[in-house]
Amino acid sequence: MVKKPPEDGFLRRDLAFCYRLYRPVESSGECLFLLHGSGVDETTLVALARQIAPRAVLVAVRGRIAQEDGFRWFARITPTRFEQQSIRTEADAFAGFISEAAKRHGLDLSRTIFLGYSNGANLVSSVMLLHPGLIERAALLRPMPVLDEVPPADLSKAHVLIIAGAADITYAPFAPALIAALEAHGPEIEARTIASGHEIGDQDAEIVRQWLADPAIAIAQAN
């Protein structure tokens, strides 16, 4: 078997979203798609992802909506209300990006985890609900529900980790509503609340790493 060469994360503009691909020399075959929070860029979750899965291929993607000096994933009306057509447009585009990126770079979607933070986590959950079956393992850090209308979706094969911050006064109160919205469609959900604000760090990385080591998640990965 010929090993693919390492890739150092230069910015690529060949698909619908700008992204960086990091492929370690000794890749495990796993892949993490990284979706950053609002007002930053695609590089901000790379260090955390390397803590979680140091031998995984990383696909660090940039949201397409400009915000201050960075980017976000869909347009907002207030910090907790969002433009619904923008969510659907960007979720549809991202669903296509997933398939194209996997095809172009030889990624195994059955061994892929989607790691989203804040606004990025909210896009991941929206893609799950609008394109069921495409994302089957998702770690959502500091998320909230953003879709006003949730379509029918079979998520019975999906595994979702949700990590809220106890001191995240703006967004943590919405975590139960997201859990309920997802649970109605059948995924396996693990929900954790940690002693943190909206920021993320080592504790999040450790929880995600432990979650991925769970035999049920490993079985889902093998299938």
Side-chain angles (χ1 to χ4, degrees), residues 15-16 27 40 44 52-53 57-58 60 64 70-71 90 104 106 110 136 140 159 167 172 197 202:
L15 296 176
S27 172
V40 292
T44 55
I52 294 167
V57 175
L58 307 181
R64 303 196 297 186
F71 305 90
E90 295 307 302
R104 181 156 301 188
S110 72
E136 294 194 346
L140 310 179
H159 295 257
D202 293 346

Side-chain angles (χ1 to χ4, degrees), residues 168-183:
D168 186 2
I169 59 174
T170 301
Y171 297 102
F174 290 96
L178 176 63
I179 293 167
L182 290 173
E183 279 184 334

Side-chain angles (χ1 to χ4, degrees), residues 6-14 18-22 42 60 105:
E7 295 177 81
D8 62 1
F10 65 87
L11 185 64
R12 299 169 182 263
R13 303 177 183 272
D14 55 339
C18 297
Y19 66 104
R20 299 175 190 269
L21 187 76
Y22 302 85
E42 69 283 353
H105 299 291

